Amino acid sequence: MIEDWKSILKESITRPEQILDKFNVDINPIKSVVEKYPMFISRYYFDLIEEVEDPIWKQCIPSPLELQDPYGYEDPLNEEEDSPVPGLVHRYPDRVLMCISNSCATYCRFCTRKRKVGKPLISFSKDLYLAQINYVRENTSIRDVLLSGGDPFMLPDDTIELLLKKLRVIPHVEILRIGSRIPCTLPQRVTPRLCKILKKYHPLYVNVHFEHPNEITEESERACGLLADAGIPLGNQSVLLRGVNDNPETMKNLFQKLLKIRVKPYYLFQMDLVKGTYHFRTRVEVGMKILEALIGWTSGLAIPRFVIDAPGGGGKIPLQPDYILSIDDEKVILRNYEGKIYVYPQIPAEEKEERIPLKIQQKVVKWRAI
Ligand SMILES: *Cc1c(COP(=O)(O)O)cnc(C)c1O
Ligand code: SF4
């Protein structure tokens, strides 16, 4: 019998003293962090911790390093500026991000929206939802609506259904997406009832959020299976986290395990410049090395796109190791994953065709620090 998610949430870990039930550590440093950045851990996720400072611990237990961040910004992606209606971010031409919830089943210490988590800047109400939906209705270029948060699955079934129903009837909205960490941090929330609701609003995509192979359990497998059985294509977004998953072996293991639970790795994010998360940041080369260790060596399906969400709000920029050694009118010289060299002959270029290398636009957009 699967435990009821609401009763699991009632036993969440929110006070540093509760950590002592399982681990013998000095909680005083944790107490001072919690005053600034609240702690909330579902009992399910807390139980995945095997030992102090393991990859699960680092993701959810407050660290004194959060208060010693020399850099970082409250809103590194400048989301507030691209927000025509509270909670709604319209940055790309054909899609919007709609934040509909303030709460999460576990507060991730590295969260990009750390400024909001646990201390809501927006109070969501039916009126606010209607204002967000109106914006979508009035902007016919929006063909893709991405529901995010916080975690949308923290809302009651009825609210989720109401939002999906209202968005689904807008003729220009082709696809709906939900981004949720719940299949990882509180998989019991994914119930047959929820899936029955979701499947009425296809085409609906869900992006889940796993960071480490230890998060793939029987329960998370069951949750992803239920969503997949409801016809929902599942993608995964991971963040590259120092000391958690910043090496090729862990990542390969994670991505291969995700495919086994029917989830396709979608994005791997370089850490955003969020205040209080400096200790999670890696150098960009680390992510490139991870991709090199995957491309060609394992299924293409297991390989996400590695991106930097541009500081200041430029959107996601893809990064890839370079496989082109040279390119000219006659041929492209390439290396394969093993470092062997290959030549691909070009067809003759048309007169007016743009020649490669393309001129890189020199315009550098300087980011106004917030
Ligand atoms: C990530 C993001 C999206 C979705 O981007 P995709 O590349 O289509 O997955 C949309 N809006 C905002 C503001 C985002 O940050
Ligand atoms: S679940 Fe998502 S929004 Fe919530 S704390 Fe984690 S990363 Fe942030």
Side-chain angles (χ1 to χ4, degrees):
M1 178 63 198
I2 296 152
E3 244 184 307
D4 171 40
W5 63 280
K6 286 183 184 149
S7 41
I8 298 177
L9 269 185
K10 278 193 198 118
E11 294 172 37
S12 295
I13 286 76
T14 57
R15 290 175 297 107
E17 291 75 13
Q18 292 168 279
I19 298 170
L20 296 172
D21 294 345
K22 207 172 148 192
F23 302 101
N24 186 15
V25 288
D26 175 13
I27 56 166
N28 284 323
I30 298 178
K31 279 184 180 163
S32 50
V33 182
V34 168
E35 281 166 28
K36 179 147 202 252
Y37 300 117
M39 169 174 73
F40 189 95
I41 311 167
S42 75
R43 185 169 46 75
Y44 163 82
Y45 197 71
F46 185 73
D47 286 343
L48 296 184
I49 301 176
E50 288 167 0
E51 54 187 37
V52 175
E53 293 293 330
D54 79 0
I56 308 290
W57 173 287
K58 284 184 179 159
Q59 290 185 62
C60 65
I61 304 286
S63 160
L65 296 172
E66 292 175 40
L67 301 177
Q68 297 162 24
D69 186 347
Y71 310 105
Y73 303 88
E74 302 290 332
D75 177 16
L77 306 182
N78 222 350
E79 293 191 319
E80 309 292 346
E81 198 168 291
D82 278 340
S83 181
V85 179
L88 187 142
V89 187
H90 193 178
R91 167 157 302 155
Y92 295 104
D94 70 341
R95 55 208 188 278
V96 290
L97 182 84
M98 204 170 123
C99 295
I100 56 171
S101 153
N102 279 319
S103 56
C104 302
T106 291
Y107 295 160
C108 315
R109 307 317 298 177
F110 52 84
C111 179
T112 292
R113 306 207 180 96
K114 207 173 168 83
R115 68 186 187 281
K116 291 187 180 174
V117 166
K119 15 171 203 183
L121 294 181
I122 306 172
S123 54
F124 290 100
S125 61
K126 194 164 173 206
D127 283 349
L128 179 54
Y129 292 144
L130 292 179
Q132 293 177 325
I133 292 167
N134 262 337
Y135 180 86
V136 174
R137 193 182 296 116
E138 281 161 15
N139 285 271
T140 52
S141 59
I142 300 168
R143 42 162 293 285
D144 173 1
V145 177
L146 173 47
L147 302 177
S148 176
D151 201 311
F153 287 155
M154 286 296 277
L155 298 173
D157 287 354
D158 297 348
T159 312
I160 295 173
E161 170 138 45
L162 179 91
L163 288 164
L164 291 175
K165 193 184 255 169
K166 288 202 177 289
L167 287 166
R168 187 75 286 171
V169 295
I170 301 174
H172 52 269
V173 174
E174 294 171 8
I175 62 170
L176 297 170
R177 290 198 261 178
I178 295 177
S180 170
R181 209 175 179 205
I182 278 215
C184 172
T185 53
L186 184 65
Q188 296 80 358
R189 164 65 181 110
V190 180
T191 57
R193 185 171 190 270
L194 176 67
C195 293
K196 210 169 138 193
I197 293 171
L198 298 177
K199 74 190 283 189
K200 287 195 263 176
Y201 301 98
H202 276 311
L204 172 74
Y205 292 74
V206 169
N207 265 348
V208 296
H209 186 168
F210 288 84
E211 313 289 357
H212 192 274
N214 290 3
E215 295 168 343
I216 297 175
T217 62
E218 265 175 42
E219 289 88 344
S220 56
E221 178 171 6
R222 186 201 59 90
C224 293
L226 275 181
L227 291 166
D229 284 345
I232 301 168
L234 299 175
N236 182 67
Q237 314 205 136
S238 294
V239 185
L240 187 48
L241 300 168
R242 190 160 153 199
V244 173
N245 59 16
D246 58 341
N247 63 79
E249 299 72 41
T250 305
M251 282 301 197
K252 191 168 168 185
N253 188 0
L254 171 64
F255 298 149
Q256 290 176 342
K257 278 192 161 168
L258 283 168
L259 289 181
K260 283 166 74 179
I261 64 165
R262 305 162 75 184
V263 177
K264 158 87 185 83
Y266 177 55
Y267 277 137
L268 171 61
F269 286 102
Q270 174 69 19
M271 271 293 299
D272 291 327
L273 310 177
V274 193
K275 187 95 195 152
T277 65
Y278 181 79
H279 56 296
F280 284 116
R281 229 172 288 163
T282 53
R283 286 185 56 85
V284 175
E285 293 90 329
V286 173
M288 305 285 268
K289 287 242 163 65
I290 289 171
L291 283 199
E292 282 228 56
L294 295 175
I295 295 173
W297 299 100
T298 189
S299 323
L301 274 176
I303 302 165
R305 174 170 279 193
F306 179 41
V307 293
I308 291 186
D309 220 332
K316 299 176 185 73
I317 301 174
L319 304 174
Q320 238 215 173
D322 208 350
Y323 292 91
I324 299 179
L325 301 178
S326 79
I327 179 163
D328 62 26
D329 278 352
E330 278 92 46
K331 61 188 181 306
V332 187
I333 303 182
L334 304 155
R335 69 173 173 101
N336 80 346
Y337 67 102
E338 298 165 305
K340 294 184 185 151
I341 312 289
Y342 297 85
V343 178
Y344 183 87
Q346 298 259 54
I347 58 163
E350 304 265 336
E351 210 45 59
K352 283 195 203 114
E353 205 173 310
E354 226 170 333
R355 299 293 162 103
I356 290 175
L358 295 167
K359 275 204 205 93
I360 294 166
Q361 283 195 1
Q362 291 298 319
K363 206 177 106 196
V364 175
V365 182
K366 196 153 169 40
W367 177 36
R368 179 179 57 80
I370 308 157

